[in-house]
């Protein structure tokens, strides 16, 4: 009989640092720049990606040192999983926090880091780097697909 995978038998709070990091599916959605309406608090995604996002792998090019380069980079914690409204509906942290299972394309299920891209969940092929878009033009890049990923 096979062992029950850790994400099915542990809460987020019970996970080791390695298990926690292993939940990231590599979709890259968290690395998109977002605009917040100061009056309403509404958050809009842009297709403008962080300068550290590798556009092909959808992973951070300097994950360990990212906050030194990008000071406002969010380090996802248990508290933030429960309070950040813009986590995509397919986010493993969000799913497990809500008592749901991982999708078939998550590499922990499929065994292949490419399935997140093959399923059309990632930002691969959908972004432009913030290095080439002036911040005052970010509004021209507002998109709604990050919160619709995984919808039928």
């Amino acid at each position: 009989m096979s062992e029950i995978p850790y994400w099915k038998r542990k809460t987020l709070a019970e996970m080791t640092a390695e298990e926690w990091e292993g939940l990231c599916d590599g979709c890259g959605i968290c690395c998109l720049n977002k605009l917040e309406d100061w009056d309403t608090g509404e958050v809009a995604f842009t297709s403008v990606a962080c300068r550290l996002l590798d556009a092909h792998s959808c992973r951070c090019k300097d994950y360990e040192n990212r906050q030194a380069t990008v000071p406002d980079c969010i380090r996802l914690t248990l508290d933030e999983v429960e309070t950040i409204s813009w986590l995509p509906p397919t986010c493993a942290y969000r799913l497990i926090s809500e008592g749901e299972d991982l999708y078939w394309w998550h590499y922990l299920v499929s065994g292949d880091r490419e399935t997140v891209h093959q399923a059309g969940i990632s930002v691969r092929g959908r972004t432009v780097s913030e290095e080439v878009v002036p911040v005052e033009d970010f509004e021209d890049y507002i998109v709604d697909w990050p919160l619709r990923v995984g919808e039928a």
Side-chain angles (χ1 to χ4, degrees), residues 37-111:
D37 183 306
W38 290 107
D39 294 329
T40 67
E42 185 177 338
V43 174
F45 278 85
T46 73
S47 59
V48 181
C50 172
R51 71 186 71 119
L52 293 179
L53 183 70
D54 178 308
H56 180 73
S57 71
C58 298
R59 308 288 287 184
C60 185
K61 292 185 247 183
D62 191 15
Y63 186 74
E64 295 302 317
N65 302 303
R66 70 192 185 280
Q67 291 182 303
T69 306
V70 182
D72 59 347
C73 177
I74 303 247
R75 183 176 180 273
L76 197 59
T77 65
L78 183 58
D79 288 337
E80 287 165 334
V81 167
E82 296 174 359
T83 59
I84 294 176
S85 63
W86 51 257
L87 286 176
T90 56
C91 176
Y93 300 97
R94 180 180 195 162
L95 290 169
I96 291 170
S97 173
E98 295 173 353
E100 302 293 329
D101 198 0
L102 302 180
Y103 287 94
W104 66 267
W105 46 260
H106 193 290
Y107 81 95
L108 289 173
V109 177
S110 71

Side-chain angles (χ1 to χ4, degrees), residues 14-26:
E14 295 170 329
M15 291 183 188
T16 66
E18 183 179 1
E19 290 168 337
W20 176 274
E21 291 295 323
L23 288 179
C24 178
D25 59 26

